[in-house]
Amino acid sequence: MASGKSGGAVGNVKSVPSWLNSPAWSTPRHKGRLFPESPENGIKDKESKLQKKGSDVDKLEEVVEPPSVVVKQEVEGRGSVKTGNVESSAPLRSDSGNTSIFSSGSGGLSSDLYKKSSSLDARVELFMLELSRKRIHIAELQRMSGQGIPDVGSIRSTTWKLLLGYLPRNREDWSAELKKKRSEYAVFREELLVNPSELTRRKEAYEEAMNESGGRGFLPRHHITQDDHPLSLGSTSIWHQYFQDSELTEQIERDVKRTHPDIQFFCGDSEEAHQNQEALRRALFIFAKLNPGIRYVQGMNEVLAPLYFVFKTDPDESYAFHAEADAFFCFVELLSDFRDHFCQQLDNSAVGIRSTISQLNALLKRHDEELWRHLEVTSKVNPQFYAFRWITLLLTQEFNFPDSLRLWDSLLSNPDGPLEILLRVCCAMLLCVRERLLAGDFTTNLKLLQNYPSTDIHHLLRVAEDLRV
Amino acid sequence: MVLVLAMGDMHIPHRAADLPAKFKSMLVPGKIQHILSPGNLCIKEVHDYLKSLCADVHVARGEYDDDPRYPETKLLTIGAFKLGICHGHQVVPWGDLDSLTMLQRQLDVDILITGHTHQFKAYKHEGGVIINPGSATGAYSSITYDVNPSFVLMDIDGLRVVVYVYELVDGEVKVDKIDFKKPHQRT
């Protein structure tokens, strides 16, 4: 679809001018039309932005006066605009544009490729703009993230940190806050992860006389308190604590090794993969020690994994280095909404997992009585069989990894909290396979819901959006 | 952080019926990685008990042991340390530190675990350290008066060893600690 050029045709005929790909044309009214009369919104002319790097498109642009790429009305008063990696060049010619499309998970190639690619660049630019403000406008960020965060640069990593409240809203507070939090984490590591031998080694004043290599003689015996030896059974003994924790460490170890076995980042043979696993293990162990009420429950590793992945793959070196600490605190934040799902005693209470599942059930009944009746009554599929995993693991196990990252964009950016949108997405999942469910019996329905078929995540999110009251 | 238990000279059933109850309550499986015994257990049931505490049991032959298959000396490496076990009745005079030192040099080990005297000793010399865990049951010995039940637990951590000595004195378990570090290798 390289037609649609006005002005002088220069040597390379296949190029598409950037102004044509401006999102001004890609508003819903103009879908499918190549030549809309005029963009509805005022076009902000950003001459400074038009720095094409010597491509043929330049010539075209001299001839025609192209509007700038970013057209959203809300964007105004750009102070420091990052022009960085955002290049509004023809998408078909720029490989980065193409690959970014696929990595941001937008379905297959379709006729609105232009719209997607140009809107990707536009979105990247919007995000960069928003993130570069002095005071971040959270509501705006939430709205933008709900459409999906582009998988470019540090955008997702920084946005998630902002959405979870880890980074404060004022940009200038960022470095102070990060330093504080990271040193807190280092303290946790020191205190909680060290084994008793280390502790005893540090505690005592180590007598140098003992180490003289020429000496002969009986080694002096030091009396120690009742609890300070490895076989002590006293509850105050650090050794006893250590051996009791060994059960916890074993459990965490087992789960960490099973996290995302298909992804090299977690389960490869490389040094990095081992380090990543170690980082996950440490963070989960520290969480378990700091929260004795809920300790470690199988599944927490799945909730931590996407956070750690996004932060660790941040191209910004300093952020990637501290990914473990950042992921830990964001994990705590995220889990604060969902803690009660992991606590067994609260299962039957008003905040427990059963109550949430019944909320989902009620939602389904409200939107699709027929399907609800079929599942509840006819095929007798107890929602606990499928919804338990969906809800406690925040849908990380139901979709492939890139899709679940996209899903988490919406989850984390919901102004009414992640649980509300989680329920709507679960309901949307049921609605999307409606025909198959209605046609099936207990066995087939259960199999279908426990191995949810792969689906277009954007479609799913649209359906979920429609369910919003 | 490797925990190594050294206990020997139980002389069960000939001179003692069983380990003291207080010792038995402390010794639970799952904490200890290796067990080294200088010998004189004497019967298979004691060996099975040690196996229940830890899978890796090494025993050297004492003169009253029933099982003839235990070796006279045993060598092993744990972490950065070389350890050797020998019962000690072969080394005459019994309990003589200089002679044991010669044995240690022969075996070329950093730590020599030995027994027979039923008396706890921890002796350091240029070649290394000799540890005698004593008798775990406090069995009678013809060369020592007033035998107290004792055993030794070593915590090997890198180049440093912390030795915890458990002794039953007047019915109470007393725990002492001894530190030493592996000397740098001299040419």
Side-chain angles (χ1 to χ4, degrees):
Chain A
M1 300 181 66
S3 54
K5 225 179 336 295
S6 71
V10 199
N12 191 343
V13 181
K14 286 290 177 242
S15 67
V16 179
S18 64
W19 58 265
L20 187 60
N21 295 319
S22 150
W25 317 132
S26 60
T27 51
R29 263 191 6 209
H30 302 300
K31 199 190 285 202
R33 292 178 59 179
L34 283 177
F35 304 101
E37 307 82 38
S38 63
E40 50 194 18
N41 307 322
I43 298 163
K44 303 282 195 300
D45 207 8
K46 297 192 296 154
E47 295 300 335
S48 57
K49 278 266 330 136
L50 301 175
Q51 293 155 20
K52 299 299 155 275
K53 296 163 177 72
S55 67
D56 296 335
V57 185
D58 274 352
K59 304 214 182 127
L60 282 168
E61 304 205 335
E62 279 155 27
V63 174
V64 181
E65 236 195 37
S68 64
V69 174
V70 177
V71 183
K72 288 273 173 83
Q73 244 168 355
E74 297 90 326
V75 173
E76 78 253 315
R78 297 172 261 308
S80 53
V81 177
K82 288 193 173 32
T83 59
N85 51 3
V86 177
E87 197 183 12
S88 35
S89 55
L92 286 180
R93 279 155 43 120
S94 75
D95 286 340
S96 60
N98 272 336
T99 50
S100 315
I101 294 172
F102 292 113
S103 65
S104 66
S106 56
L109 281 177
S110 57
S111 64
D112 50 357
L113 173 62
Y114 282 163
K115 187 170 77 127
K116 281 199 162 58
S117 57
S118 63
S119 64
L120 169 72
D121 293 334
R123 285 198 344 248
V124 168
E125 202 181 297
L126 274 179
F127 270 97
M128 300 294 265
L129 180 67
E130 195 57 46
L131 293 174
S132 62
R133 282 186 199 278
K134 282 219 167 307
R135 184 175 165 81
I136 309 287
H137 193 207
I138 289 291
E140 181 60 29
L141 200 61
Q142 281 179 339
R143 199 188 55 77
M144 280 165 34
S145 310
Q147 312 294 319
I149 303 177
D151 197 14
V152 173
S154 319
I155 300 183
R156 182 172 262 141
S157 161
T158 325
T159 313
W160 278 18
K161 289 184 180 115
L162 282 164
L163 291 173
L164 282 167
Y166 179 57
L167 285 172
R169 297 175 66 164
N170 286 322
R171 219 156 201 281
E172 56 222 14
D173 295 335
W174 280 12
S175 52
E177 184 70 21
L178 284 174
K179 217 161 105 165
K180 188 176 86 155
K181 282 280 162 55
R182 284 159 183 179
S183 58
E184 250 182 68
Y185 187 73
V187 166
F188 288 149
R189 271 178 75 157
E190 278 294 297
E191 283 177 6
L192 297 171
L193 282 178
V194 74
N195 66 26
S197 311
E198 277 284 319
L199 273 175
T200 47
R201 191 208 310 238
R202 286 182 204 161
K203 252 197 325 197
E204 67 204 15
Y206 199 62
E207 286 160 25
E208 289 309 304
M210 204 178 296
N211 296 333
E212 280 167 21
S213 35
R216 260 196 182 227
F218 290 98
L219 290 165
R221 294 162 68 155
H222 308 278
H223 183 63
I224 55 176
T225 60
Q226 206 45 27
D227 277 346
D228 212 8
H229 58 93
L231 296 178
S232 119
L233 296 167
S235 52
T236 56
S237 156
I238 47 170
W239 287 95
H240 188 64
Q241 273 293 324
Y242 176 77
F243 285 118
Q244 291 212 313
D245 289 339
S246 62
E247 204 191 295
L248 177 67
T249 28
E250 264 176 42
Q251 193 188 8
I252 294 180
E253 183 75 24
R254 257 177 292 154
D255 280 347
V256 163
K257 286 206 151 46
R258 291 190 287 206
T259 314
H260 292 298
D262 48 335
I263 298 183
Q264 279 288 33
F265 180 86
F266 292 108
C267 274
D269 278 329
S270 61
E271 187 57 37
E272 287 84 41
H274 285 137
Q275 278 172 6
N276 293 335
Q277 282 190 348
E278 284 298 303
L280 286 179
R281 198 182 52 78
R282 280 192 296 261
L284 289 168
F285 183 76
I286 292 176
F287 180 81
K289 294 287 285 186
L290 290 176
N291 295 277
I294 148 176
R295 304 236 315 170
Y296 174 75
V297 178
Q298 193 175 35
M300 287 182 180
N301 59 318
E302 297 292 341
V303 177
L304 179 61
L307 289 170
Y308 182 70
F309 177 83
V310 167
F311 296 159
K312 188 79 184 174
T313 49
D314 193 333
D316 184 340
E317 282 289 326
S318 63
Y319 279 118
F321 184 73
H322 293 283
E324 188 187 331
D326 295 342
F328 171 76
F329 284 107
C330 290
F331 173 69
V332 171
E333 262 313 305
L334 184 57
L335 219 59
S336 61
D337 283 317
F338 296 107
R339 288 177 83 101
D340 299 329
H341 292 162
F342 285 99
C343 183
Q344 214 175 0
Q345 278 87 0
L346 292 175
D347 268 356
N348 291 322
S349 73
V351 292
I353 184 68
R354 292 231 173 97
S355 142
T356 315
I357 292 181
S358 54
Q359 276 178 44
L360 172 62
N361 227 10
L363 194 66
L364 177 66
K365 180 171 179 188
R366 203 168 75 220
H367 287 284
D368 193 341
E369 174 115 19
E370 187 194 350
L371 179 62
W372 174 81
R373 192 175 305 282
H374 180 83
L375 283 177
E376 260 314 281
V377 181
T378 324
S379 56
K380 292 208 185 10
V381 178
N382 189 334
Q384 273 189 38
F385 295 147
Y386 55 87
F388 187 87
R389 194 173 74 171
W390 291 4
I391 295 176
T392 45
L393 300 189
L394 305 180
L395 296 171
T396 47
Q397 296 279 65
E398 314 308 320
F399 302 99
N400 62 30
F401 200 64
D403 279 351
S404 62
L405 290 184
R406 166 68 189 91
L407 189 54
W408 274 41
D409 289 341
S410 295
L411 232 64
L412 298 178
S413 63
N414 196 33
D416 297 322
L419 182 62
E420 193 256 337
I421 188 171
L422 180 66
L423 291 178
R424 274 191 287 119
V425 174
C426 291
C427 197
M429 282 164 77
L430 291 167
L431 293 178
C432 281
V433 288
R434 169 167 213 282
E435 280 74 32
R436 290 167 71 170
L437 285 175
L438 285 172
D441 66 340
F442 177 77
T443 337
T444 47
N445 283 352
L446 199 58
K447 266 168 74 170
L448 180 68
L449 291 173
Q450 285 185 343
N451 299 297
Y452 196 77
S454 66
T455 172
D456 182 11
I457 191 79
H458 298 275
H459 175 66
L460 192 67
L461 286 167
R462 268 196 298 272
V463 174
E465 193 58 31
D466 292 337
L467 294 176
R468 192 194 279 268
V469 175
Chain B
M1 194 195 81
V2 182
L3 292 179
V4 181
L5 178 69
M7 61 164 27
D9 287 320
M10 279 80 97
H11 286 279
I12 297 172
H14 308 123
R15 301 187 197 175
D18 200 1
L19 288 170
K22 296 210 164 152
F23 280 179
K24 277 198 123 154
S25 66
M26 281 201 298
L27 292 169
V28 290
K31 298 185 179 179
I32 300 168
Q33 274 84 55
H34 305 274
I35 298 186
L36 310 180
S37 180
N40 273 348
L41 299 178
C42 306
I43 49 177
K44 184 174 171 301
E45 277 78 356
V46 182
H47 189 114
D48 292 339
Y49 169 72
L50 292 179
K51 270 221 128 96
S52 76
L53 290 180
C54 157
D56 193 30
V57 177
H58 304 270
V59 185
R61 178 123 214 268
E63 74 270 45
Y64 290 103
D65 269 315
D66 276 355
D67 193 342
R69 290 169 302 172
Y70 295 146
E72 293 282 323
T73 61
K74 195 140 195 207
L75 303 176
L76 57 152
T77 310
I78 295 177
F81 287 87
K82 287 185 289 196
L83 295 104
I85 328 174
C86 176
H87 181 246
H89 67 273
Q90 308 95 329
V91 179
V92 176
W94 290 338
D96 180 46
L97 292 166
D98 291 327
S99 315
L100 289 170
T101 306
M102 281 204 293
L103 173 66
Q104 182 163 8
R105 264 192 276 270
Q106 256 184 320
L107 297 175
D108 187 26
V109 289
D110 299 312
I111 305 175
L112 177 68
I113 314 255
T114 177
H116 189 58
T117 61
H118 296 207
Q119 199 180 37
F120 169 78
K121 279 254 183 12
Y123 181 73
K124 181 178 184 303
H125 58 92
E126 301 85 4
V129 172
I130 300 172
I131 297 182
N132 185 332
S135 164
T137 52
Y140 167 79
S141 160
S142 54
I143 48 177
T144 311
Y145 294 115
D146 294 329
V147 180
N148 279 328
S150 66
F151 67 90
V152 153
L153 183 66
M154 294 184 283
D155 177 12
I156 299 181
D157 189 25
L159 288 174
R160 177 180 177 254
V161 176
V162 182
V163 177
Y164 295 93
V165 184
Y166 295 81
E167 207 172 342
L168 195 68
V169 175
D170 295 331
E172 285 302 318
V173 178
K174 282 178 75 254
V175 190
D176 289 334
K177 186 160 70 159
I178 297 175
D179 271 290
F180 65 89
K181 218 157 112 160
K182 179 166 175 157
H184 291 291
Q185 300 301 342
R186 286 157 279 122
T187 49

